[in-house]
Amino acid sequence: MNRTVLRLAIPSILANITVPLVGMADTAIAGRLGDATALGGIAIASMLFDLLYWNMGFLRVGTGGMVAQAYGREDFKDAMETFALGIFTALSFAILFIVLQWVYVEAAFHFIECSPGVEALAREYFFIRIWAAPATLSLNVFKGFFIGMQNAVSPMVVDIVVNVTNIVASIFFAFYAGMGFAGIAWGTLVAQYAGFLLAVSLMVFQYGKYFHLADIRGTLKSGNLKRFFILNADLFVRSVCFLCIYAGLTSLAARYGDIDLAVSSIMMKLMLLYSYFVDGFAYAGEALSGRYIGAKDKISLKRAVKVIFAWSCAIGAVSTLGYWAGGEWMVGFLADDAQVIAHSANFLPWLLVMPFVSSVAFTWDGVFIGATATKALRNSMLWAVAGFFLSYFLLRGHIGVQSLWAGYMMHLLVRTVYLSAVAKKEIFEA
């Protein structure tokens, strides 16, 4: 079971490592193009895309869980039809986002408070990168399908190509092509389409033999599209809840000024660096729980969950040591603004406790996704949102901007406690 888990987790970890590196590279490029305003511009621009794309998280999550269970049943027709419905949904939303881009940005900045300089840079970035929406949303479906088919290598290759291309292209456009801040957005756009073309090629090469099983017209007419959305409705609500927390943290941090906004952006990048390691085992949990539930193999399911948790908790402990030893250096790598670096020292202690607290929540997420126990995931995030905002509003008058991170910690605790409490009923006795 250890070998099975690592076969799925290690490729995902290798790919995930490159994901936060892209965010760090964007932050580092922005930090060397200007002052805290440029860092704030990247933070707000990233939040604008989070508002769009995190709500579409069900494209990967739902596809992965449903395909994993189909794989366990050896029902490849259902797996292919799930993939086709995912792509259809992804492209439909991508077109909608492109058509409504101006309306969306105007509405967003009606609620987001930031300096005029930060807003101008965020707008510039958004109106370039939005044209990558078809590729970005489709890649979520490809990744979910590959993971559901117990294939962690293909999404690893795609992610590495996307993220390395993103870093190289952003540096080239920003510094060598003379585009400055806009070059960061152009680098992301080019990388997304490079990844999309590679994913299509891998899909044809590895799973082309199953294409004839998918009757798209029949699937749409039979009501399977409605079923697809019903099964993913809870995951959509879950994504909205994630969005409320992460976007809320960024927008609330902006109220404290560009320095606090820049520090919050850096802290989130550093936090994500750890989470992408644990997510490798969460993806393994997603693939294996779906597979064993589909095959009705409860003994293997229990063994897999135990092994995955052992690895996740070990990574949480190692990550805490890493932040303790290298936290200050990591901040210095992402920013060269003396005020930002000095101010960040007040926030680094949060990084010493978050990995341990969050490792359980992140791992349960993967297991519940594979089991398609979507109502429990939805409920855990509804309570987590309440915990985040309640903690912030109760503490902001006492500890100021630090209350945002107290709220973030509370949301992790709520997820951990809730999912642990319902796991027996939702996963092992379902």
Side-chain angles (χ1 to χ4, degrees):
M1 186 58 71
N2 271 285
R3 288 194 296 270
T4 300
V5 169
L6 292 175
R7 178 178 59 83
L8 291 166
I10 290 177
S12 296
I13 290 172
L14 293 176
N16 286 345
I17 289 172
T18 66
V19 175
L21 291 180
V22 171
M24 290 181 178
D26 286 352
T27 302
I29 293 169
R32 283 156 178 76
L33 287 172
D35 52 17
T37 300
L39 289 169
I42 281 291
I44 296 298
S46 297
M47 186 186 71
L48 289 174
F49 282 101
D50 289 343
L51 289 165
L52 288 178
Y53 293 156
W54 281 15
N55 287 340
M56 298 294 103
F58 70 89
L59 291 170
R60 189 205 68 77
V61 174
T63 300
M66 294 169 68
V67 170
Q69 292 193 19
Y71 180 90
R73 298 191 305 270
E74 298 185 357
D75 186 353
F76 298 111
K77 176 178 173 61
D78 186 57
M80 292 305 302
E81 290 183 347
T82 298
F83 170 77
L85 289 172
I87 291 294
F88 174 81
T89 305
L91 294 178
S92 297
F93 274 104
I95 293 171
L96 179 66
F97 292 163
I98 290 173
V99 170
L100 298 178
Q101 58 180 292
W102 290 96
V103 175
Y104 166 73
V105 171
E106 293 302 323
F109 279 109
H110 181 73
F111 297 99
I112 298 173
E113 295 183 15
C114 60
S115 67
V118 167
E119 179 177 340
L121 291 176
R123 285 175 177 268
E124 180 181 24
Y125 181 99
F126 180 88
F127 289 126
I128 296 171
R129 182 178 162 184
I130 187 61
W131 293 97
T136 301
L137 296 183
S138 295
L139 283 173
N140 284 332
V141 180
F142 278 104
K143 187 170 185 177
F145 177 83
F146 289 142
I147 291 173
M149 295 293 285
Q150 316 296 296
N151 175 3
V153 175
S154 291
M156 175 193 73
V157 173
V158 172
D159 281 348
I160 290 176
V161 168
V162 168
N163 296 323
V164 171
T165 301
N166 196 337
I167 293 172
V168 173
S170 294
I171 292 173
F172 172 78
F173 289 134
F175 295 115
Y176 297 98
M179 293 183 180
F181 189 84
I184 304 174
W186 279 107
T188 300
L189 185 145
V190 169
Q192 292 296 306
Y193 279 106
F196 175 76
L197 293 176
L198 177 58
V200 170
S201 300
L202 291 171
M203 185 74 184
V204 172
F205 178 74
Q206 296 176 320
Y207 304 105
K209 61 184 177 182
Y210 298 129
F211 284 3
H212 70 282
L213 297 176
D215 179 8
I216 307 304
R217 292 184 179 179
T219 300
L220 295 176
K221 292 179 180 179
S222 67
N224 281 351
L225 180 61
K226 181 180 179 180
R227 170 178 171 269
F228 180 83
F229 278 107
I230 291 175
L231 289 174
N232 285 284
D234 292 328
L235 295 174
F236 180 82
V237 174
R238 170 180 177 265
S239 296
V240 173
C241 290
F242 272 119
L243 174 64
C244 289
I245 292 172
Y246 287 93
L249 192 150
T250 300
S251 60
L252 290 171
R255 297 184 178 184
Y256 292 88
D258 288 354
I259 298 296
D260 276 311
L261 175 59
V263 170
S264 294
S265 175
I266 290 171
M267 285 284 292
M268 189 55 65
K269 294 291 190 301
L270 293 179
M271 179 63 189
L272 290 177
L273 180 63
Y274 147 77
S275 71
Y276 284 124
F277 280 90
V278 174
D279 275 351
F281 289 96
Y283 291 157
E286 178 181 333
L288 293 177
S289 64
R291 172 185 173 181
Y292 293 136
I293 288 172
K296 301 186 184 303
D297 185 354
K298 291 190 176 182
I299 294 176
S300 295
L301 172 64
K302 291 179 180 179
R303 289 176 59 206
V305 172
K306 289 180 180 179
V307 170
I308 290 167
F309 266 104
W311 282 103
S312 297
C313 291
I315 288 180
V318 172
S319 298
T320 294
L321 292 175
Y323 287 132
W324 174 75
E328 293 182 8
W329 175 85
M330 293 177 190
V331 173
F333 173 78
L334 294 177
D336 57 3
D337 187 295
Q339 285 183 287
V340 172
I341 295 173
H343 194 54
S344 66
N346 299 320
F347 298 84
L348 289 178
W350 290 110
L351 292 177
L352 303 182
V353 292
M354 283 187 184
F356 181 78
V357 174
S358 61
S359 60
V360 177
F362 292 170
T363 306
W364 272 136
D365 275 353
V367 174
F368 276 70
I369 287 166
T372 60
T374 56
K375 289 185 179 180
L377 286 170
R378 177 201 65 193
N379 292 340
S380 71
M381 284 307 304
L382 288 171
W383 285 110
V385 169
F388 171 80
F389 284 103
L390 183 62
S391 297
Y392 168 71
F393 285 114
L394 288 176
L395 296 174
R396 63 176 179 171
H398 303 284
I399 58 176
V401 69
Q402 294 278 5
S403 59
L404 287 172
W405 295 99
Y408 188 84
M409 177 67 71
M410 179 57 68
H411 115 271
L412 293 173
L413 287 170
V414 170
R415 288 165 60 190
T416 295
V417 171
Y418 184 91
L419 293 177
S420 297
V422 302
K424 182 178 180 180
K425 176 183 177 182
E426 297 289 341
I427 305 297
F428 303 110
E429 295 180 354

